Amino acid sequence: MSDFVQHAQHGDVHVLRLANPPVNTLRTEIRAGLHAGLAAAKAGGAKAVVLIGTGRMFCAGAEMTEFGKPRQPPSLTEVFDAIEGFPGIVVAAIHGSALGGGLELALACHARVAAPGAQVGLPEVKRGFVPGAGGTQRLPRLIGPEEAAKIIISGDPIPAEKAVKLGVVDAVIEGDLEAGAVAWAKAAIGKTFTLARNRTDKISGQDPAAFEAVVAGLLKRTRGQESPKGCAEAVRASFTLPFEEGLAKERDLFATLVAGEQSKALRHIFFGEREVLRIPGMPAEAKSLPVERLVVIGGGTMGGGIAMSAANNGVPVTIVETSEEALQKGLARCHANWERTVASGRLSQADYEKRKALLTGSTDFEGTVEKADLVIEAVFENMAVKKEVFARLDKAARPGVVLASNTSTLSIDEIASATSRPELVVGMHFFSPANVMRLLENVRGSKSSWATIATATEFGKRIGKLPVLVGNCDGFVGNRMTGKRGPQVEKLLLEGCLPADIDKVMEGYGMAMGPLATGDLAGLDIGAAVRKARGTVAPVADAVVALGRFGQKTGKGWYMYDEKRNRLPDPEVEKIILDVAEKMQVRRRKISDEEILDRMLLPMVNEGARILEEGIAYRPIDIDVIFINGFGWPAFRGGPMFWADTQGLKTVRDKLARYAEATNDANLKPTALIEKLAAEGGTFAGMGR
Ligand code: NAI
């Protein structure tokens, strides 16, 4: 028997345990083991078989690293045929999760039981394809096409208790799952179970119009993405085609989508989000320092959000503010935020009370900091203020405690120089709103120790963030790259675009929000202050800000806003743009969408390459993961460096060189890295491989 599937016997009931922990992906050996195990059970006269997982879960689905490689038999279909043709009943016993191919395996069984708290789902849509082993045909036959569409198009798992109500799972079993499932199967011997593939009761009366209405609602949220449409088409086939033809349709959709650019992008990010946690050079013995209590300095926009993230994840946290008034304001903002979540039904009153109890505040700086195991500073963005705070932290915090700064631009080394423990100083750059955004750019100072970096990484993970380690420079990775887009926005406006033209192209590409609308949300005064500090000018943006148009907070910026905050084009802005262009003698022309997209993305790619040359980011994937998780970049586009690879780096180099000259923007001159990769016919993805 295979090492990957264990076989046990309890009288008439045989047990096959998937043993490729922790997540039991359906690699070749597991498929072969199941196939052989079912044959052995049949030969041994078993009346029932229980399939169960070992390790963390039942099964996480297909082994994605086997995609695109020659298929090894047996296929999942052959395994499912063996289950459906078994001369007794096969019961899947689910603990942890049954996802993707894992749930499809369970759906092929005669029945399913689950441990309390287990989850089932078909997340394939999030990897850019459709479930490919019958999930889109069997699930609708069990629970109806409309409910199946909700699960398959969203890709979100549902808890076992809901799965029982819907009819995906037959029973929840308390206590030891294997013993309970064996007993359940024993009791079920002799009863009739209709396989999902043979059920017609849930699909025969399906009203096509009702199905389309549900699907239209679900697809509204997946702009530009192909796999949700494919999922809808596959589920539709469950009630318009016979089972085998539906399976064929599903197989075609799977094959087309899995070979497409979007699925490659989504898998690039899926694996990338795991890869970024492996920090090159980090010694295995580098251990995170234990953190029982977090102290956050500053209870403003960011401090409050960071503190909420800690409390949301069970970590006791204290906010330190300069006055009782500022403190109460900061705490009240956190409470109000949670109360809104309670009102929306996404947080229970009891969990709210727990979170509230974990969040405290104080104006006693030294007395509070002394009790901290980790300090995150989020005071005003001003070097003198930061240094003063860090000198005070250094004196007040116990020796060995890590001091982190949430600065978005300032040098971690200079901040660290205000302390006697620069090895314990690190940047932890959260993104706004900090309780929501998943990205955490951890910034490594030149003296930060591995233990300090491990602490920032582990603590970030613990409070639900995705930490990406970057080097110390102005703007770090994300803001430094987006900053390079600004001059091209100015130039596009002068040469022929209006704000909505640029935002429309970027939103059409899939960005949550175009750059000008984002500017209005963040506040145009912030960019103006940065330009002033750096001695740079942006004639159009400066003229907009000069009229007091700071964005949404003043009711108008690049756009004007109605009372519902809908953005509308504003003739006043158009006039500013035309006036400045005339004054600067720029002849306006029609600019194509392709040119707009290129001039928005290429400056970022070039800066990304520079960031790689400088070692500020370890790998291109770190950059892509940063943009997907912190900058509203659509995952199905794979991030800026992935985009550059899809364009071909020769094309990227040529276009950069052309725009550098045409727009007189030295930043666009192709970097040495792009020149080298273009000359070699290389890609970012291929670097270091
Ligand atoms: P904010 O102005 O909302 O909050 C700063 C808070 O710090 C104020 O409540 C102030 O009373 C308090 N404070 C000042 N000095 C203090 C001291 N010595 N001790 C205790 N509290 C003190 O500012 P915001 O937006 O929260 O920014 C904080 C930091 O986070 C800055 O370094 C900023 O660059 C960074 N950041 C901001 C982002 C944003 O989108 N707002 C995004 C990422 C980082």
Side-chain angles (χ1 to χ4, degrees), residues 297-303 320-322 326 333 365 377-382 385-386 388-389 392 405-409 429-432:
I297 310 295
T301 312
M302 294 306 287
V320 173
E321 261 291 353
T322 45
R333 229 185 352 242
F365 190 104
E377 164 279 317
V379 305
F380 305 127
E381 185 75 343
N382 174 297
V385 176
K386 300 262 188 209
E388 192 191 312
V389 168
R392 238 176 120 185
S405 173
N406 179 49
T407 178
S408 43
T409 51
H429 181 207
F430 291 81
F431 288 74
S432 184

mmCIF file of all heavy atoms in Angstrom, residues 297-303 320-322 326 333 365 377-382 385-386 388-389 392 405-409 429-432, ligand 1:
data_model
loop_
_atom_site.group_PDB
_atom_site.id
_atom_site.type_symbol
_atom_site.label_atom_id
_atom_site.label_comp_id
_atom_site.label_asym_id
_atom_site.label_seq_id
_atom_site.Cartn_x
_atom_site.Cartn_y
_atom_site.Cartn_z
ATOM 1 N N ILE A 297 2.452 53.908 20.462
ATOM 2 C CA ILE A 297 2.614 55.321 20.810
ATOM 3 C C ILE A 297 1.897 56.157 19.759
ATOM 4 O O ILE A 297 2.252 56.125 18.585
ATOM 5 C CB ILE A 297 4.107 55.735 20.851
ATOM 6 C CG1 ILE A 297 4.924 54.755 21.693
ATOM 7 C CG2 ILE A 297 4.249 57.165 21.366
ATOM 8 C CD1 ILE A 297 4.571 54.716 23.156
ATOM 9 N N GLY A 298 0.883 56.886 20.174
ATOM 10 C CA GLY A 298 0.091 57.704 19.248
ATOM 11 C C GLY A 298 -1.204 56.995 18.906
ATOM 12 O O GLY A 298 -1.187 55.865 18.400
ATOM 13 N N GLY A 299 -2.318 57.641 19.200
ATOM 14 C CA GLY A 299 -3.627 57.009 18.958
ATOM 15 C C GLY A 299 -4.377 57.698 17.837
ATOM 16 O O GLY A 299 -5.591 57.849 17.876
ATOM 17 N N GLY A 300 -3.653 58.116 16.798
ATOM 18 C CA GLY A 300 -4.302 58.768 15.649
ATOM 19 C C GLY A 300 -4.814 57.733 14.668
ATOM 20 O O GLY A 300 -5.115 56.592 15.036
ATOM 21 N N THR A 301 -4.881 58.141 13.418
ATOM 22 C CA THR A 301 -5.400 57.266 12.367
ATOM 23 C C THR A 301 -4.706 55.909 12.384
ATOM 24 O O THR A 301 -5.352 54.862 12.427
ATOM 25 C CB THR A 301 -5.144 57.913 10.990
ATOM 26 O OG1 THR A 301 -5.574 59.262 11.065
ATOM 27 C CG2 THR A 301 -5.858 57.192 9.882
ATOM 28 N N MET A 302 -3.382 55.936 12.357
ATOM 29 C CA MET A 302 -2.646 54.676 12.228
ATOM 30 C C MET A 302 -2.533 53.947 13.556
ATOM 31 O O MET A 302 -2.731 52.732 13.620
ATOM 32 C CB MET A 302 -1.248 54.942 11.651
ATOM 33 C CG MET A 302 -1.262 55.452 10.238
ATOM 34 S SD MET A 302 -2.198 54.401 9.107
ATOM 35 C CE MET A 302 -1.107 52.999 8.951
ATOM 36 N N GLY A 303 -2.191 54.675 14.622
ATOM 37 C CA GLY A 303 -2.038 54.034 15.937
ATOM 38 C C GLY A 303 -3.307 53.286 16.325
ATOM 39 O O GLY A 303 -3.252 52.139 16.794
ATOM 40 N N VAL A 320 -0.624 54.932 23.993
ATOM 41 C CA VAL A 320 -0.131 56.062 24.784
ATOM 42 C C VAL A 320 -0.350 57.334 23.982
ATOM 43 O O VAL A 320 0.018 57.402 22.806
ATOM 44 C CB VAL A 320 1.374 55.898 25.101
ATOM 45 C CG1 VAL A 320 1.917 57.155 25.773
ATOM 46 C CG2 VAL A 320 1.605 54.683 25.979
ATOM 47 N N GLU A 321 -0.982 58.304 24.602
ATOM 48 C CA GLU A 321 -1.186 59.601 23.947
ATOM 49 C C GLU A 321 -0.637 60.724 24.820
ATOM 50 O O GLU A 321 -0.286 60.509 25.988
ATOM 51 C CB GLU A 321 -2.684 59.823 23.649
ATOM 52 C CG GLU A 321 -3.079 59.498 22.202
ATOM 53 C CD GLU A 321 -2.513 60.473 21.170
ATOM 54 O OE1 GLU A 321 -1.902 61.507 21.558
ATOM 55 O OE2 GLU A 321 -2.655 60.193 19.958
ATOM 56 N N THR A 322 -0.568 61.928 24.218
ATOM 57 C CA THR A 322 0.020 63.057 24.937
ATOM 58 C C THR A 322 -0.978 63.722 25.884
ATOM 59 O O THR A 322 -0.577 64.355 26.855
ATOM 60 C CB THR A 322 0.514 64.118 23.934
ATOM 61 O OG1 THR A 322 -0.512 64.291 22.946
ATOM 62 C CG2 THR A 322 1.793 63.681 23.258
ATOM 63 N N ALA A 326 -6.814 63.653 23.624
ATOM 64 C CA ALA A 326 -6.417 62.921 22.406
ATOM 65 C C ALA A 326 -6.604 61.425 22.610
ATOM 66 O O ALA A 326 -7.021 60.697 21.698
ATOM 67 C CB ALA A 326 -4.958 63.227 22.068
ATOM 68 N N ARG A 333 -12.655 56.340 18.669
ATOM 69 C CA ARG A 333 -12.677 56.004 17.239
ATOM 70 C C ARG A 333 -12.609 54.489 17.022
ATOM 71 O O ARG A 333 -13.303 53.933 16.183
ATOM 72 C CB ARG A 333 -11.511 56.687 16.528
ATOM 73 C CG ARG A 333 -11.974 57.401 15.286
ATOM 74 C CD ARG A 333 -10.892 58.016 14.450
ATOM 75 N NE ARG A 333 -9.577 57.990 15.034
ATOM 76 C CZ ARG A 333 -8.867 59.067 15.334
ATOM 77 N NH1 ARG A 333 -9.364 60.254 15.125
ATOM 78 N NH2 ARG A 333 -7.652 58.954 15.843
ATOM 79 N N PHE A 365 3.508 57.872 29.758
ATOM 80 C CA PHE A 365 4.443 57.310 28.774
ATOM 81 C C PHE A 365 5.383 56.282 29.422
ATOM 82 O O PHE A 365 5.342 55.095 29.080
ATOM 83 C CB PHE A 365 5.243 58.464 28.150
ATOM 84 C CG PHE A 365 6.082 58.092 26.955
ATOM 85 C CD1 PHE A 365 5.684 58.437 25.671
ATOM 86 C CD2 PHE A 365 7.296 57.414 27.111
ATOM 87 C CE1 PHE A 365 6.471 58.108 24.570
ATOM 88 C CE2 PHE A 365 8.081 57.090 26.019
ATOM 89 C CZ PHE A 365 7.668 57.434 24.743
ATOM 90 N N GLU A 377 5.588 52.670 17.298
ATOM 91 C CA GLU A 377 5.393 54.121 17.354
ATOM 92 C C GLU A 377 4.626 54.583 16.123
ATOM 93 O O GLU A 377 4.951 54.183 14.993
ATOM 94 C CB GLU A 377 6.773 54.790 17.468
ATOM 95 C CG GLU A 377 6.820 56.266 17.173
ATOM 96 C CD GLU A 377 6.878 56.568 15.679
ATOM 97 O OE1 GLU A 377 7.630 55.892 14.943
ATOM 98 O OE2 GLU A 377 6.137 57.471 15.251
ATOM 99 N N ALA A 378 3.583 55.418 16.352
ATOM 100 C CA ALA A 378 2.804 55.979 15.232
ATOM 101 C C ALA A 378 2.455 57.430 15.532
ATOM 102 O O ALA A 378 1.295 57.832 15.511
ATOM 103 C CB ALA A 378 1.546 55.149 14.993
ATOM 104 N N VAL A 379 3.480 58.237 15.850
ATOM 105 C CA VAL A 379 3.252 59.670 16.102
ATOM 106 C C VAL A 379 3.409 60.427 14.784
ATOM 107 O O VAL A 379 3.561 59.822 13.726
ATOM 108 C CB VAL A 379 4.199 60.212 17.198
ATOM 109 C CG1 VAL A 379 4.066 59.373 18.471
ATOM 110 C CG2 VAL A 379 5.644 60.245 16.742
ATOM 111 N N PHE A 380 3.415 61.770 14.863
ATOM 112 C CA PHE A 380 3.488 62.572 13.634
ATOM 113 C C PHE A 380 4.717 62.225 12.808
ATOM 114 O O PHE A 380 5.761 61.874 13.347
ATOM 115 C CB PHE A 380 3.538 64.069 13.973
ATOM 116 C CG PHE A 380 2.401 64.527 14.833
ATOM 117 C CD1 PHE A 380 2.636 65.220 16.015
ATOM 118 C CD2 PHE A 380 1.091 64.264 14.467
ATOM 119 C CE1 PHE A 380 1.588 65.641 16.814
ATOM 120 C CE2 PHE A 380 0.038 64.686 15.255
ATOM 121 C CZ PHE A 380 0.289 65.371 16.440
ATOM 122 N N GLU A 381 4.584 62.395 11.502
ATOM 123 C CA GLU A 381 5.678 62.078 10.574
ATOM 124 C C GLU A 381 6.677 63.241 10.555
ATOM 125 O O GLU A 381 6.658 64.083 9.650
ATOM 126 C CB GLU A 381 5.092 61.822 9.181
ATOM 127 C CG GLU A 381 6.091 61.359 8.143
ATOM 128 C CD GLU A 381 6.519 59.903 8.316
ATOM 129 O OE1 GLU A 381 6.312 59.335 9.397
ATOM 130 O OE2 GLU A 381 7.077 59.363 7.352
ATOM 131 N N ASN A 382 7.530 63.267 11.578
ATOM 132 C CA ASN A 382 8.496 64.353 11.668
ATOM 133 C C ASN A 382 9.732 63.795 12.365
ATOM 134 O O ASN A 382 9.630 63.235 13.458
ATOM 135 C CB ASN A 382 7.860 65.489 12.481
ATOM 136 C CG ASN A 382 8.816 66.625 12.758
ATOM 137 O OD1 ASN A 382 9.830 66.441 13.430
ATOM 138 N ND2 ASN A 382 8.484 67.794 12.241
ATOM 139 N N VAL A 385 10.483 64.859 15.991
ATOM 140 C CA VAL A 385 9.521 64.276 16.941
ATOM 141 C C VAL A 385 9.826 62.796 17.147
ATOM 142 O O VAL A 385 9.856 62.282 18.266
ATOM 143 C CB VAL A 385 8.067 64.455 16.423
ATOM 144 C CG1 VAL A 385 7.075 63.770 17.356
ATOM 145 C CG2 VAL A 385 7.729 65.930 16.280
ATOM 146 N N LYS A 386 10.093 62.075 16.043
ATOM 147 C CA LYS A 386 10.349 60.630 16.137
ATOM 148 C C LYS A 386 11.592 60.374 16.991
ATOM 149 O O LYS A 386 11.614 59.463 17.821
ATOM 150 C CB LYS A 386 10.576 60.027 14.749
ATOM 151 C CG LYS A 386 9.399 60.184 13.804
ATOM 152 C CD LYS A 386 8.534 58.960 13.724
ATOM 153 C CE LYS A 386 7.507 59.098 12.626
ATOM 154 N NZ LYS A 386 6.282 58.387 12.826
ATOM 155 N N GLU A 388 12.928 62.214 19.286
ATOM 156 C CA GLU A 388 12.660 62.521 20.695
ATOM 157 C C GLU A 388 11.899 61.345 21.336
ATOM 158 O O GLU A 388 12.229 60.894 22.434
ATOM 159 C CB GLU A 388 11.828 63.809 20.754
ATOM 160 C CG GLU A 388 11.725 64.410 22.123
ATOM 161 C CD GLU A 388 10.664 65.515 22.136
ATOM 162 O OE1 GLU A 388 10.702 66.375 21.227
ATOM 163 O OE2 GLU A 388 9.803 65.457 23.027
ATOM 164 N N VAL A 389 10.897 60.858 20.624
ATOM 165 C CA VAL A 389 10.101 59.742 21.146
ATOM 166 C C VAL A 389 10.982 58.494 21.322
ATOM 167 O O VAL A 389 10.920 57.811 22.343
ATOM 168 C CB VAL A 389 8.902 59.442 20.209
ATOM 169 C CG1 VAL A 389 8.248 58.105 20.565
ATOM 170 C CG2 VAL A 389 7.881 60.562 20.288
ATOM 171 N N ARG A 392 13.250 58.631 24.308
ATOM 172 C CA ARG A 392 12.467 58.396 25.527
ATOM 173 C C ARG A 392 12.087 56.917 25.659
ATOM 174 O O ARG A 392 12.138 56.343 26.750
ATOM 175 C CB ARG A 392 11.173 59.227 25.419
ATOM 176 C CG ARG A 392 11.006 60.197 26.564
ATOM 177 C CD ARG A 392 9.786 61.039 26.330
ATOM 178 N NE ARG A 392 8.822 60.875 27.419
ATOM 179 C CZ ARG A 392 7.618 61.443 27.405
ATOM 180 N NH1 ARG A 392 7.231 62.173 26.367
ATOM 181 N NH2 ARG A 392 6.807 61.272 28.433
ATOM 182 N N SER A 405 8.924 51.495 14.364
ATOM 183 C CA SER A 405 8.295 52.744 13.908
ATOM 184 C C SER A 405 7.405 52.467 12.702
ATOM 185 O O SER A 405 7.770 51.707 11.809
ATOM 186 C CB SER A 405 9.362 53.762 13.502
ATOM 187 O OG SER A 405 8.720 54.887 12.915
ATOM 188 N N ASN A 406 6.252 53.147 12.693
ATOM 189 C CA ASN A 406 5.330 53.022 11.557
ATOM 190 C C ASN A 406 5.577 54.124 10.524
ATOM 191 O O ASN A 406 4.743 54.386 9.670
ATOM 192 C CB ASN A 406 3.893 53.091 12.091
ATOM 193 C CG ASN A 406 2.860 52.994 10.985
ATOM 194 O OD1 ASN A 406 2.934 52.117 10.144
ATOM 195 N ND2 ASN A 406 1.908 53.911 10.961
ATOM 196 N N THR A 407 6.754 54.748 10.588
ATOM 197 C CA THR A 407 7.006 55.831 9.627
ATOM 198 C C THR A 407 6.791 55.356 8.196
ATOM 199 O O THR A 407 7.082 54.203 7.866
ATOM 200 C CB THR A 407 8.438 56.386 9.762
ATOM 201 O OG1 THR A 407 8.607 57.400 8.757
ATOM 202 C CG2 THR A 407 9.491 55.312 9.547
ATOM 203 N N SER A 408 6.268 56.264 7.333
ATOM 204 C CA SER A 408 6.061 55.864 5.948
ATOM 205 C C SER A 408 7.163 56.393 5.034
ATOM 206 O O SER A 408 7.202 56.026 3.863
ATOM 207 C CB SER A 408 4.685 56.320 5.456
ATOM 208 O OG SER A 408 4.409 57.616 5.865
ATOM 209 N N THR A 409 8.030 57.259 5.549
ATOM 210 C CA THR A 409 9.082 57.801 4.677
ATOM 211 C C THR A 409 10.442 57.951 5.359
ATOM 212 O O THR A 409 11.467 57.963 4.682
ATOM 213 C CB THR A 409 8.713 59.228 4.187
ATOM 214 O OG1 THR A 409 8.371 60.015 5.330
ATOM 215 C CG2 THR A 409 7.562 59.209 3.199
ATOM 216 N N HIS A 429 5.779 49.168 8.817
ATOM 217 C CA HIS A 429 4.988 50.131 8.049
ATOM 218 C C HIS A 429 3.642 49.518 7.674
ATOM 219 O O HIS A 429 3.558 48.708 6.752
ATOM 220 C CB HIS A 429 5.782 50.547 6.808
ATOM 221 C CG HIS A 429 5.087 51.549 5.951
ATOM 222 N ND1 HIS A 429 5.306 51.662 4.594
ATOM 223 C CD2 HIS A 429 4.160 52.491 6.242
ATOM 224 C CE1 HIS A 429 4.555 52.629 4.105
ATOM 225 N NE2 HIS A 429 3.835 53.136 5.076
ATOM 226 N N PHE A 430 2.626 49.924 8.426
ATOM 227 C CA PHE A 430 1.255 49.465 8.166
ATOM 228 C C PHE A 430 0.628 50.374 7.117
ATOM 229 O O PHE A 430 1.104 51.471 6.862
ATOM 230 C CB PHE A 430 0.422 49.543 9.449
ATOM 231 C CG PHE A 430 0.830 48.552 10.512
ATOM 232 C CD1 PHE A 430 1.912 48.797 11.346
ATOM 233 C CD2 PHE A 430 0.138 47.364 10.681
ATOM 234 C CE1 PHE A 430 2.295 47.886 12.328
ATOM 235 C CE2 PHE A 430 0.502 46.449 11.658
ATOM 236 C CZ PHE A 430 1.582 46.711 12.485
ATOM 237 N N PHE A 431 -0.472 49.926 6.544
ATOM 238 C CA PHE A 431 -1.162 50.710 5.519
ATOM 239 C C PHE A 431 -2.558 51.056 5.992
ATOM 240 O O PHE A 431 -3.175 50.296 6.746
ATOM 241 C CB PHE A 431 -1.164 49.944 4.182
ATOM 242 C CG PHE A 431 0.215 49.928 3.585
ATOM 243 C CD1 PHE A 431 1.195 49.105 4.126
ATOM 244 C CD2 PHE A 431 0.557 50.785 2.561
ATOM 245 C CE1 PHE A 431 2.496 49.138 3.638
ATOM 246 C CE2 PHE A 431 1.853 50.817 2.066
ATOM 247 C CZ PHE A 431 2.824 49.996 2.607
ATOM 248 N N SER A 432 -3.038 52.177 5.566
ATOM 249 C CA SER A 432 -4.309 52.697 6.050
ATOM 250 C C SER A 432 -5.488 52.138 5.244
ATOM 251 O O SER A 432 -5.407 52.092 4.019
ATOM 252 C CB SER A 432 -4.271 54.223 5.920
ATOM 253 O OG SER A 432 -5.432 54.778 6.459
HETATM 254 P P1 NAI B 1 -2.146 61.196 13.177
HETATM 255 O O1 NAI B 1 -1.838 62.647 13.164
HETATM 256 O O2 NAI B 1 -3.510 60.726 12.885
HETATM 257 O O3 NAI B 1 -1.762 60.589 14.600
HETATM 258 C C1 NAI B 1 -0.592 60.890 15.326
HETATM 259 C C2 NAI B 1 -0.939 60.802 16.807
HETATM 260 O O4 NAI B 1 0.265 60.738 17.558
HETATM 261 C C3 NAI B 1 -1.735 62.003 17.317
HETATM 262 O O5 NAI B 1 -2.926 61.542 17.907
HETATM 263 C C4 NAI B 1 -0.801 62.628 18.351
HETATM 264 O O6 NAI B 1 -1.507 63.176 19.454
HETATM 265 C C5 NAI B 1 0.066 61.463 18.757
HETATM 266 N N1 NAI B 1 1.367 61.851 19.285
HETATM 267 C C6 NAI B 1 2.225 62.774 18.817
HETATM 268 N N2 NAI B 1 3.339 62.818 19.594
HETATM 269 C C7 NAI B 1 3.185 61.893 20.546
HETATM 270 C C8 NAI B 1 3.974 61.475 21.653
HETATM 271 N N3 NAI B 1 5.152 62.020 21.904
HETATM 272 N N4 NAI B 1 3.506 60.504 22.444
HETATM 273 C C9 NAI B 1 2.309 59.954 22.202
HETATM 274 N N5 NAI B 1 1.511 60.319 21.179
HETATM 275 C C10 NAI B 1 1.939 61.281 20.367
HETATM 276 O O7 NAI B 1 -1.093 60.525 12.189
HETATM 277 P P2 NAI B 1 -1.175 59.147 11.407
HETATM 278 O O8 NAI B 1 -1.776 59.363 10.092
HETATM 279 O O9 NAI B 1 -1.726 58.125 12.316
HETATM 280 O O10 NAI B 1 0.364 58.843 11.171
HETATM 281 C C11 NAI B 1 1.204 58.338 12.186
HETATM 282 C C12 NAI B 1 2.434 57.726 11.550
HETATM 283 O O11 NAI B 1 2.033 56.695 10.666
HETATM 284 C C13 NAI B 1 3.278 58.678 10.728
HETATM 285 O O12 NAI B 1 4.628 58.341 10.891
HETATM 286 C C14 NAI B 1 2.825 58.404 9.312
HETATM 287 O O13 NAI B 1 3.787 58.710 8.353
HETATM 288 C C15 NAI B 1 2.614 56.913 9.386
HETATM 289 N N6 NAI B 1 1.711 56.371 8.378
HETATM 290 C C16 NAI B 1 0.564 57.003 8.021
HETATM 291 C C17 NAI B 1 -0.278 56.482 7.063
HETATM 292 C C18 NAI B 1 -1.561 57.153 6.711
HETATM 293 O O14 NAI B 1 -2.164 56.773 5.691
HETATM 294 N N7 NAI B 1 -2.049 58.106 7.497
HETATM 295 C C19 NAI B 1 0.073 55.207 6.367
HETATM 296 C C20 NAI B 1 1.269 54.589 6.864
HETATM 297 C C21 NAI B 1 2.057 55.169 7.805
#
